[in-house]
Amino acid sequence: SCVPTGNCFVPISEIISVEETELNKKQRNIGKWQKMTKLHAFTVYYVKKARNHRWRCSDVTFWCVDEHLCNQWIQALKELLELQKSRPKQLLVYINPYGGKRQGKRIYEQKVAPLFSLASISTDVVSDVVCVGGDGMFSEVMHGLIGRIQKDSGIDQNNPKASLVQCNIRIGIIPAGSTDCICYSTVGISDPVTSALHIIVGDCQPLDVSSVHHNNTFLKYSVSLLGYGFYGDILKDSEKKRWMGPIRYDYSGFKTFLSHHYYEGTIAYQPAKHTLGSPRDKDSCRTGCYICKKSEQQLAEQHKDCGLKHEEGEEEWKVIKGKFLAINAVNMSCACPRSPKGLSPAAHLADGSADLILVRKCSRFDFLRYLVRHTNQDDQFDFPFVDVYRVKNFQFTSKLSEDNESNVMDIGKKRFGQFCRDHPACCCNIVNSTWNCDGETLDSSAIEVRVHCQLMKLFARGIEENCKDEAAYRQSSAEQLL
């Protein structure tokens, strides 16, 4: 249902709070008859949607001379808000005072805490979790929650084939980092007020999470980017220059581009045949995505059927060998202000798959053309040296590991087939790169990655389709009411 606010309608789900209001003299001095009558009023605080997915808190005050009628309205609206069961009542807030531009504490105290207080949300009892910081802060909280759930459920995280238990505790993230990729890819903007309002109204967006293992040992979880080569080298170099602040990424990126390192290795992957669409289509993940909803239904059916046979070992593994400038696996578009489309514009948040992007050895000029397409509307996969696959599992082994690690060779004979032993001498680099796992470094050059469908829940609703203007959005809300 909706509530009229002036010339528009606001869905109950987007009302923040309702409060009794004391009219001041200026407000009451509307007409002569109001001066002789005591007025009773209440104020509705609600979400106002602006351009570019930005949300703001707005309010409208209603008044009348009948105190009983005014109280009835207040009570009725509060009862409707109580029915919004998805809304959090208590939150545990973590603030990273050093992330990004070191503005986390100021952002929370000045922009977010007043909104939580307005919505009567307690922040001293653990129920759902909110972190104020960047993607690294979110990753730390995510690892703690997932790890605790698996431990309590008796799941061995070191087993790469273990079916992990979903985490029902929602995580909210107030962006205060350098890139804020997770916020931008799930809300459409990295704005602390918008994120706080999504938390207040209780939005819930499931997220796929990838687990990363090496030799049956758990390494990390990834929710956005897992990158080897170009993005791994940028991260490794930038970690040495933290004193430069966020500009260190620009410096390290330019330096890495000039170095033009490529790495040789073998990739094996299992195609994600269970999901619809492909990385090359234009069907972007948006609020209420039907592809993600279908995966959610499949997941529910699997949970009901405890005897369902595991299909992982039955599906074919495809093998690719080569020299790569970049190997990227993304669970979401990985969009950010500098790259509004992201690394994979059609990636889905909760379909149980990752988009595996392979950038083969090419000239500096061609690689620059590929990078530039992340900032415009051209198809960034439309190059002969770029391949992209939608996968549910993949493994990577560097050439150096193939030659030196016997245990990896054993895995290779089973998974990849016999490795080439008569590779001719060449001028390529035989050193290893570093994996960039959601902004954290992983030095292992042989990894196994598995995507876990909708393992986490985030306070978000996915990126909404752009409304032409505020009036169009409110009009659609009114039509839904009718």
Side-chain angles (χ1 to χ4, degrees):
S1 59
C2 299
V3 173
T5 58
N7 296 324
C8 60
F9 288 82
V10 175
I12 291 295
S13 62
E14 293 180 5
I15 290 180
I16 298 168
S17 69
V18 179
E19 292 186 350
E20 186 176 1
T21 305
E22 197 60 50
L23 292 178
N24 57 39
K25 291 182 179 180
K26 183 177 180 180
Q27 290 174 312
R28 293 174 61 184
N29 193 21
I30 301 173
K32 294 182 179 180
W33 66 274
Q34 279 98 342
K35 296 179 182 179
M36 303 174 60
T37 308
K38 181 178 180 181
L39 298 178
H40 304 276
F42 64 90
T43 299
V44 176
Y45 297 89
Y46 64 96
V47 171
K48 182 177 181 179
K49 297 184 178 180
R51 295 182 181 276
N52 300 324
H53 309 289
R54 190 181 302 273
W55 284 16
R56 285 293 178 261
C57 177
S58 190
D59 63 84
V60 60
T61 298
F62 299 88
W63 51 264
C64 64
V65 296
D66 189 335
E67 182 180 8
H68 180 66
L69 179 60
C70 183
N71 291 335
Q72 279 186 316
W73 269 100
I74 295 173
Q75 184 63 28
L77 289 174
K78 287 187 174 181
E79 288 177 358
L80 286 173
L81 292 180
E82 286 294 325
L83 294 177
Q84 307 297 308
K85 299 300 182 183
S86 64
R87 297 195 176 202
K89 301 299 182 184
Q90 301 94 21
L91 295 172
L92 179 63
V93 180
Y94 288 97
I95 299 176
N96 181 359
Y98 301 106
K101 298 179 181 179
R102 303 192 176 190
Q103 298 295 307
K105 188 172 183 293
R106 182 192 64 81
I107 287 173
Y108 178 75
E109 291 178 347
Q110 295 183 11
K111 297 185 177 183
V112 179
L115 292 173
F116 287 169
S117 177
L118 180 64
S120 301
I121 295 176
S122 169
T123 56
D124 56 358
V125 179
V126 177
S127 177
D128 294 307
V129 179
V130 172
C131 55
V132 184
D135 295 338
M137 182 69 172
F138 174 86
S139 180
E140 293 293 333
V141 174
M142 177 187 71
H143 275 80
L145 288 177
I146 295 178
R148 182 56 185 264
I149 293 292
Q150 307 320 308
K151 182 179 179 180
D152 292 346
S153 303
I155 303 296
D156 181 11
Q157 291 185 97
N158 287 319
N159 180 3
K161 296 178 177 58
S163 296
L164 301 184
V165 177
Q166 286 181 298
C167 180
N168 291 321
I169 297 177
R170 291 170 294 182
I171 301 180
I173 177 170
I174 305 297
S178 300
T179 56
D180 298 314
C181 165
I182 296 172
C183 268
Y184 204 94
S185 299
T186 57
V187 175
I189 190 171
S190 53
D191 174 64
V193 173
T194 301
S195 293
L197 292 171
H198 276 287
I199 294 169
I200 288 170
V201 301
D203 282 337
C204 184
Q205 171 63 55
L207 293 181
D208 294 337
V209 179
S210 293
S211 59
V212 185
H213 288 78
H214 169 70
N215 286 350
N216 292 322
T217 301
F218 170 74
L219 299 179
K220 279 276 188 179
Y221 291 116
S222 172
V223 74
S224 57
L225 168 67
L226 191 62
Y228 187 83
F230 182 71
Y231 289 103
D233 291 350
I234 289 177
L235 180 64
K236 186 175 182 178
D237 186 75
S238 66
E239 286 295 294
K240 305 172 186 175
K241 301 174 178 62
R242 282 190 166 270
W243 55 271
M244 296 176 65
I247 199 175
R248 68 184 183 273
Y249 296 113
D250 296 327
Y251 175 82
S252 296
F254 182 68
K255 178 181 174 182
T256 302
F257 171 77
L258 291 179
S259 67
H260 203 59
H261 287 156
Y262 57 89
Y263 303 91
E264 190 171 4
T266 302
I267 297 166
Y269 68 91
Q270 284 185 307
K273 296 180 179 179
H274 67 284
T275 187
L276 302 174
S278 76
R280 296 295 301 274
D281 62 32
K282 304 297 182 182
D283 203 353
S284 300
C285 189
R286 292 293 182 262
T287 301
C289 174
Y290 74 97
I291 292 178
C292 294
K293 282 188 177 295
K294 181 180 178 183
S295 296
E296 185 176 14
Q297 294 170 357
Q298 292 175 340
L299 193 63
E301 291 172 1
Q302 290 178 12
H303 287 165
K304 290 180 181 178
D305 186 3
C306 298
L308 186 67
K309 187 175 180 181
H310 201 280
E311 299 179 354
E312 180 177 324
E314 300 175 356
E315 291 195 15
E316 179 185 1
W317 285 77
K318 299 184 180 297
V319 181
I320 298 175
K321 292 186 178 183
K323 302 170 185 176
F324 305 98
L325 286 169
I327 299 171
N328 300 320
V330 297
N331 287 48
M332 57 180 63
S333 67
C334 289
C336 66
R338 291 189 177 184
S339 178
K341 293 191 307 177
L343 295 179
S344 185
H348 288 269
L349 297 172
D351 68 342
S353 72
D355 287 354
L356 179 63
I357 306 165
L358 308 179
V359 184
R360 297 176 182 272
K361 178 187 175 185
C362 62
S363 68
R364 278 192 182 87
F365 177 71
D366 280 342
F367 189 52
L368 178 61
R369 291 170 60 208
Y370 166 72
L371 294 177
V372 167
R373 288 199 179 181
H374 289 81
T375 65
N376 58 38
Q377 297 301 314
D378 295 334
D379 184 359
Q380 60 209 55
F381 301 133
D382 189 22
F383 292 104
F385 55 88
V386 178
D387 298 313
V388 59
Y389 309 94
R390 188 150 285 173
V391 305
K392 66 176 184 178
N393 303 291
F394 78 92
Q395 296 179 345
F396 171 77
T397 307
S398 70
K399 180 64 168 61
L400 189 65
S401 296
E402 291 174 10
D403 292 340
N404 296 337
E405 297 184 17
S406 59
N407 56 343
V408 175
M409 287 293 294
D410 293 337
I411 296 175
K413 291 177 182 178
K414 183 184 298 183
R415 294 289 197 193
F416 306 148
Q418 183 64 43
F419 288 122
C420 177
R421 294 183 178 277
D422 58 349
H423 191 280
C426 64
C427 60
C428 67
N429 300 302
I430 58 172
V431 295
N432 290 326
S433 178
T434 299
W435 284 98
N436 180 337
C437 182
D438 291 357
E440 299 292 331
T441 57
L442 288 179
D443 291 325
S444 180
S445 57
I447 63 170
E448 181 174 353
V449 180
R450 180 182 177 189
V451 182
H452 300 269
C453 186
Q454 304 188 8
L455 189 63
M456 283 297 309
K457 293 180 179 179
L458 185 70
F459 278 111
R461 64 171 60 171
I463 297 177
E464 297 176 292
E465 296 290 353
N466 274 320
C467 295
K468 290 184 179 179
D469 52 35
E470 184 73 11
Y473 168 77
R474 298 306 181 190
Q475 180 64 32
S476 66
S477 298
E479 291 172 355
Q480 290 176 9
L481 174 63
L482 298 175

